[in-house]
Each structure stands twice: as C-alpha cells, then as structure tokens.
C-alpha cells in the first residue's frame, strides 16, 4: 500500500489550490481599489468628481456586493465553487474595462455597483466552500492567511504600478484610462485558466494519488461529522445564530476602518507630502510589506497554538492605535510609521478571522453565513469611504474620520474576544468543545 507523505501533499495543495486562489485575490484587489489611485488624476478630466461623488462611488461597490453575496454563495455551494469563481473574474474584468470610458456621475456609480455585483461572493466561496474541502480545520488559518497576503501584495504591486501608469499616455488614452484597461486584462485571461485547472474536490484532481484523495476525503468527512455532533445548522438557523450575528457586527466595525483607510489613504498622504504619484505609490508599498510580514507570522502562530480570537483582537488593537494617532502627527516619517501600524491592524489578522465561522458551521449554512458576515462588513465598506468624504467636506480635514475609524476598530477588538469568552473571562462551553475537536484534527494532519 502506498505511504502517505503529508509534507508532499501539503506542497501539492500549496501550488495547486492556494497559489491560484492567491492570484485571483491579487487581481480582485487591484481592480477593486485602483479607483483610489485613478482619482488622483481623474479629477483633471472630470471636475464633477468631488469628494462626495467619489465617496459614494467607492461605497456603492459594496451595495452591489451586498445584494448578490448570499445568493452567489449558495449557488457555488450547490454546484461548483471553482466555476463560480471563474465566472466572477471574467465578469468583473469586463466591468473594469468599461470603467475607463465613464463620462458622468451616473456612469461612475453604475460601474462601481456592477463591479461589486460581479465580485459578490468571491471570498465567502473561497473561505466556506473551497478551502474546507481541501484543508482541515487546523490547517485553514495558515492556508487562508497565505492566500490573504494577496490583499497586501496587491497594494505592493498595484500602488507603484498605478503611479507609473498615471504618468503615461498610450494610444491617446489618459493615464487613468490605461490603468483600468491594463489592470482588467489579467482577470479576463486568468478566469479561463482557473475554470479548467482548479478543482472543487480532491477526488477530481488528477495530480493527487488515490491514497491522498482518500485521506483528504476522510479528514473532511470526519470534520463535518464532528461539527454536526455539536450542532447541525440549517441556513436559516445559522442566520439566527447569535455567534453569526455577533461576527456580522464585528466585521462591520472592522471594515469601516478597512475601507475608509484604503480608499482615502493615498489622497491623505499626497496632500501631506506633495509627492508625485509614482513616488507616492512606492512609499505606500512600505507599510504593506510590514503588514504582509505580520500576517504570515500571525497565520503561522495561530495554526501552531490553535488560538484565533486573541490573534484577531491584538491586531485590531494595533490598528486602532495607528488610526487614532494619525491626525496628531505632521511629519511624513511619523505619518508613514502610523500608516504601517494601521495597515498591520487592518490586514494582518484577516486570514485567521475567516477561519472562525467554519469552526462551527459547515456546508450551505457555512457558505450563506460567511456571505452574510461579509455582506454586513461590506455595509461598512459603504459607510467608511462616505463617512470620510462627509468629514472632509464638513470639517475641512480628515481628523475626525480617523478618530471614528479608531473607535470602531477598538470596539471590534473587544467584541471578538466575546466569541470565545464570557464577559467574566470563562471560555464558552460550545467553543471549548470545538477547540478540543480542532486540536485532535491538528494532531492528525501533522
């Protein structure tokens, strides 16, 4: 009988599952946020692009996301996660191309809405449908953290690239038009590869041996059975579960800070520094590298210790400090340091965070609930940019907006601990039982 080599199997899944999904996420993040850089020169050709209109356009993306998040996740859970992801990529690529030709506020709003509707359910499908079939509970913090380094790498790549593209002009196009078109092409091309190359389940993969297929299928089935012994949720029961509703609220608070920071940070730094777009893009890469290093470390230590909530809460607290102190400095050196702290807090624990719902949910209930959590968070994606625009318009500065984002991140840090602990510090009984099941799964996969 063939001997199972777990290290070899780990490497195979890293290359065949994590890497393709990682590339999908990089492309998605670049196409989602490139409007923040395009705005730096779009206003020269479109004087109607005021802070209010930009804030509304940045936020309306998440309304499209919200409307189609749960239905899309349920479709993927029932049929094919990988085919659905490929469809998502191709659709958002087309919309991103059209962004280069908007001429009115209505067209700007429409494109941002359609981009959100196109991308809706991408991450919930990855977290709750695709990854649980390929990685046991004890492995998912590492796998998800590795995949979500894409959020940072997309900025490390995208910010300098955007800075260069904005200062060039090809084929009679403005730099911001080139930015939208050239950054849409990878989505259109990679969607075709992903459709054929990435498989939904281990038993479909020709690159696995029969022993490896049997092992992964057995681990998955045992994990589902263990969760069902604690409680088996229907989709509706999951929606009404207090832990799910709490996660929805925590993620809303977090994402207000996440997208308020991401959409306005280039504008704030440019106003403070007066740097060129290419120099600014290079500078923004520095805090993202710092957050990337911390994210990898957090994913590793969470996997080794089994802890989730303290890792998430600690990172959020760092982010609250970075955001809250930002209005108090007036030097670029200190400003960049605080942007580093903010980026670490906002990004570093994302991979660990998305393993929390799948510790007690499975199947369609997990897919729908993760989509619901992400949707509620994405309401924060509408609130954050618009709140920052309102603050700038009514106060003449962004200071109050940074204080609000810091307060929200601090509240999220405190609340995430209550997912596992009562207010008196005792571990919740259901979470203690699930922790024991997960520790057993970690021992099996090591």
């Amino acid at each position: 009988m063939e001997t199972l080599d777990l290290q070899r199997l780990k490497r195979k899944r890293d290359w065949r599952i994590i890497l393709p999904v990682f590339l999908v996420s990089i492309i998605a993040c670049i196409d989602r946020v490139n409007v923040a850089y395009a705005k730096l020169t779009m206003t020269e050709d479109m004087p109607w692009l005021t802070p209010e209109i930009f804030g509304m356009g940045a936020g309306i993306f998440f309304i499209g996301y919200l409307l189609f998040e749960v239905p899309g996740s349920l479709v993927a859970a029932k049929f094919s996660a990988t085919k659905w992801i490929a469809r998502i990529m191709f659709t958002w690529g087309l919309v991103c191309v059209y962004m280069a030709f908007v001429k009115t506020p209505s067209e700007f709003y429409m494109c941002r809405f359609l981009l959100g509707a196109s991308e809706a359910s991408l991450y919930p499908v990855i977290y709750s449908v695709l990854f649980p079939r390929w990685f046991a509970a004890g492995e998912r913090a590492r796998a998800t953290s590795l995949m979500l380094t894409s959020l940072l790498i997309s900025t490390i790549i995208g910010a300098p690239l955007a800075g260069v593209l904005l200062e060039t002009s090809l084929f009679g196009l403005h730099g911001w038009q080139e930015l939208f078109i050239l950054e849409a092409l990878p989505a259109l091309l990679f969607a075709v590869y992903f459709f054929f190359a990435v498989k939904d389940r281990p038993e479909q993969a020709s690159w696995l041996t029969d022993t490896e297929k049997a092992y992964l299928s057995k681990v998955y089935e045992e994990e589902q059975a263990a969760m069902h012994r604690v409680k088996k949720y229907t989709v509706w029961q999951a929606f009404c579960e207090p832990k799910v509703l709490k996660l929805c609220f925590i993620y809303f608070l977090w994402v207000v800070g996440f997208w308020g920071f991401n959409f306005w940070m280039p504008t704030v730094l440019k106003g403070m520094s007066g740097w060129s777009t290419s120099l600014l893009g290079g500078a923004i890469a520095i805090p993202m590298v710092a957050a990337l290093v911390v994210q990898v470390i957090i994913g590793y230590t969470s996997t080794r210790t089994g802890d989730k909530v303290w890792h998430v809460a600690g990172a959020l607290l760092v982010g609250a400090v970075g955001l809250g102190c930002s209005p108090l400095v007036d030097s670029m050196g200190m400003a960049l340091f605080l942007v580093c702290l903010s980026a670490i807090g906002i990004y570093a624990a994302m991979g660990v965070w998305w393993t929390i719902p799948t510790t007690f949910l499975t199947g369609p209930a997990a897919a729908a609930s993760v989509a619901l959590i992400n949707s509620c968070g994405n309401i924060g994606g509408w609130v954050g940019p618009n709140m920052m625009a309102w603050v700038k318009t009514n106060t003449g500065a962004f200071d109050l907006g940074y204080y609000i984002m810091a307060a929200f991140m601090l509240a999220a840090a405190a609340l995430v601990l209550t997912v596992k602990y009562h207010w008196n510090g005792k571990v919740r009984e259901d979470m203690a039982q699930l922790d024991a099941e997960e520790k057993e799964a970690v021992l099996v996969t090591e």
Side-chain angles (χ1 to χ4, degrees):
M1 184 176 178
E2 182 186 356
T3 303
L4 178 65
D5 184 339
L6 289 177
Q7 287 303 311
R8 181 168 176 265
L9 176 58
K10 178 182 173 183
R11 288 192 297 272
K12 284 185 177 182
R13 288 177 295 161
D14 284 354
W15 284 103
R16 300 281 191 154
I17 302 298
I18 295 178
L19 179 59
V21 175
F22 165 84
L23 294 174
V24 169
S25 184
I26 283 184
I27 298 166
C29 291
I30 288 175
D31 288 349
R32 179 192 290 190
V33 183
N34 56 14
V35 69
Y37 301 100
K39 175 189 176 292
L40 298 175
T41 60
M42 283 178 75
T43 51
E44 298 171 7
D45 304 306
M46 300 177 180
W48 49 260
L49 193 60
T50 62
E52 295 92 337
I53 290 175
F54 176 75
M56 178 63 73
I60 205 170
F61 169 94
F62 298 101
I63 304 301
Y65 218 116
L66 176 67
L67 292 176
F68 295 95
E69 185 92 322
V70 173
S73 297
L74 289 173
V75 168
K78 185 171 180 60
F79 297 105
S80 169
T82 55
K83 303 299 184 288
W84 189 251
I85 291 169
R87 191 284 307 161
I88 286 171
M89 289 188 75
F90 196 81
T91 310
W92 97 55
L94 293 176
V95 176
C96 198
V97 170
Y98 188 70
M99 274 289 295
F101 303 102
V102 298
K103 292 183 173 60
T104 65
S106 297
E107 290 178 353
F108 179 63
Y109 292 151
M110 181 188 70
C111 280
R112 291 296 297 171
F113 174 82
L114 290 177
L115 192 64
S118 299
E119 192 189 312
S121 75
L122 172 65
Y123 288 102
V125 170
I126 293 169
Y127 303 142
S128 63
V129 183
L130 186 62
F131 272 15
R133 292 172 179 168
W134 284 98
F135 302 97
E139 301 174 293
R140 283 201 289 275
R142 170 189 168 274
T144 308
S145 292
L146 279 177
M147 187 274 290
L148 285 180
T149 59
S150 57
L151 301 181
L152 294 155
I153 292 175
S154 67
T155 304
I156 294 168
I157 296 170
L161 178 62
V164 172
L165 289 175
L166 289 175
E167 294 179 350
T168 63
S169 179
L170 298 173
F171 309 111
L173 297 172
H174 297 289
W176 61 268
Q177 292 177 305
E178 291 175 27
L179 178 69
F180 286 126
I181 294 171
L182 293 178
E183 292 187 351
L185 294 179
L188 297 172
L189 297 174
F190 197 68
V192 178
Y193 168 82
F194 198 90
F195 185 92
F196 293 104
V198 183
K199 304 302 179 184
D200 287 301
R201 302 172 183 273
E203 54 267 30
Q204 299 170 343
S206 60
W207 44 270
L208 290 176
T209 66
D210 290 341
T211 301
E212 290 167 339
K213 291 177 184 179
Y215 168 76
L216 290 175
S217 297
K218 181 173 180 290
V219 169
Y220 176 71
E221 289 165 5
E222 289 177 350
E223 180 184 314
Q224 305 306 297
M227 283 190 279
H228 291 164
R229 284 196 295 271
V230 177
K231 182 175 180 179
K232 184 174 182 179
Y233 291 85
T234 64
V235 171
W236 181 247
Q237 286 173 332
F239 280 0
C240 298
E241 167 62 40
K243 286 197 293 290
V244 172
L245 298 177
K246 184 182 292 184
L247 293 175
C248 288
F249 183 56
I250 293 167
Y251 198 51
F252 166 80
L253 296 172
W254 185 347
V255 173
V256 168
F258 186 101
W259 286 116
F261 170 81
N262 272 286
F263 278 119
W264 285 103
M265 181 256 299
T267 299
V268 173
L269 288 182
K270 185 170 177 61
M272 176 181 285
S273 66
W275 291 344
S276 68
T277 55
S278 56
L279 182 59
L280 183 66
I284 289 171
I286 296 171
M288 299 307 165
V289 171
L292 172 63
V293 172
V294 177
Q295 185 176 53
V296 172
I297 293 171
I298 282 180
Y300 176 79
T301 58
S302 175
T303 296
R304 299 302 299 174
T305 63
D307 170 75
K308 292 179 173 59
V309 297
W310 282 104
H311 281 74
V312 174
L316 291 172
L317 180 60
V318 170
V321 171
L323 290 168
C325 293
S326 290
L328 306 178
V329 301
D330 55 10
S331 72
M332 273 304 295
M334 258 325 273
L336 273 176
F337 173 73
L338 291 173
V339 170
C340 285
L341 291 186
S342 301
I344 288 169
I346 284 168
Y347 283 100
M350 273 290 179
V352 178
W353 163 260
W354 284 115
T355 66
I356 293 175
T358 53
T359 58
F360 61 93
L361 295 167
T362 181
S369 296
V370 170
L372 181 66
I373 294 164
N374 205 40
S375 295
C376 290
N378 284 331
I379 296 173
W382 183 85
V383 171
N386 279 285
M387 178 272 294
M388 292 291 281
W390 183 90
V391 167
K392 173 64 173 174
T393 300
N394 288 276
T395 69
F398 289 102
D399 294 9
L400 177 60
Y402 273 88
Y403 293 138
I404 292 171
M405 289 191 292
F408 278 30
M409 295 282 283
L410 185 62
L415 284 172
V416 78
L417 293 175
T418 67
V419 173
K420 184 173 182 178
Y421 300 96
H422 292 289
W423 288 107
N424 62 8
K426 292 184 178 180
V427 178
R428 295 180 181 275
E429 294 76 9
D430 56 342
M431 296 306 290
Q433 186 176 350
L434 288 166
D435 277 351
E437 298 277 5
E438 184 168 326
K439 285 177 182 176
E440 288 184 17
V442 170
L443 291 173
V444 169
T445 56
E446 288 185 339

